[in-house]
Amino acid sequence: MIIVGSEAEPLRDLVGQHLGFSEWMSIDQEQVDRFAEAIGDHQWIHVDPKRAADGPFGGTVVHGFLILALTSRVLEQVLVPEGVRMKVNYGCDRVRFLSPVLVGSRIRAGVRLREVRPLRSGVRLALSLTFETDRRRVPVCVAQVLVHNYA
């Protein structure tokens, strides 16, 4: 775990470095079904195990946006805020879903610090996240995310 604060200067030496991996997280059908209900995406490849078994992936697959929604959880496991009053997800510069994730898989993400930029009362962290599954060691999702840490 890496300690990050609300000032840019102490973090500059970490730019370009891999900061670590999150823990492995299991994604089960119940979690996928709850996510589908929350966002209204009930496509059969996500929520119908019987039909999906005969589909192109051999089973139900996790919504890409469910994987992306795990960003906060990943960052809490890799970055320890110190002297930070508030953290805000500022957005994404780029997101790609490269490979399907079968329900029942475990995923984790590696985090790399791309850039640090001072703000009026804090710091902007530009981070690259690379999600992978325990079934294949190729990326399933890559995302460039921005986080603001405020003092």
Side-chain angles (χ1 to χ4, degrees):
M1 294 179 79
I2 302 293
I3 296 174
V4 295
S6 57
E7 295 181 14
E9 199 53 45
L11 300 172
R12 291 203 193 280
D13 290 342
L14 297 175
V15 171
Q17 292 188 27
H18 187 268
L19 304 179
F21 287 97
S22 68
E23 298 172 3
W24 287 103
M25 300 169 270
S26 295
I27 302 179
D28 61 22
Q29 189 63 55
E30 180 183 353
Q31 186 177 8
V32 170
D33 292 344
R34 288 193 321 258
F35 188 80
E37 188 63 33
I39 67 168
D41 180 351
H42 300 281
Q43 187 177 179
W44 61 271
I45 64 171
H46 303 302
V47 299
D48 188 340
K50 288 182 183 176
R51 184 174 177 192
D54 293 327
F57 307 114
T60 51
V61 294
V62 179
H63 297 79
F65 285 111
L66 172 53
I67 295 168
L68 186 62
L70 294 170
T71 294
S72 293
R73 182 174 172 184
V74 164
L75 294 179
E76 285 182 2
Q77 294 176 4
V78 176
L79 306 177
V80 177
E82 189 172 279
V84 176
R85 176 180 49 86
M86 179 176 61
K87 298 181 299 183
V88 175
N89 292 321
Y90 186 65
C92 298
D93 284 341
R94 182 181 172 106
V95 177
R96 296 291 183 265
F97 303 110
L98 303 172
S99 181
V101 175
L102 287 170
V103 171
S105 298
R106 295 183 319 145
I107 64 170
R108 72 175 181 176
V111 179
R112 181 175 302 278
L113 182 60
R114 293 184 310 117
E115 183 182 31
V116 176
R117 188 177 292 177
L119 301 172
R120 188 171 357 147
S121 59
V123 65
R124 174 183 298 165
L125 305 175
L127 302 155
S128 291
L129 277 65
T130 302
F131 289 88
E132 63 185 26
T133 179
D134 61 346
R135 297 185 183 188
R136 288 181 284 180
R137 292 300 170 124
V138 297
V140 297
C141 174
V142 292
Q144 295 178 358
V145 299
L146 303 171
V147 176
H148 288 183
N149 285 356
Y150 293 102

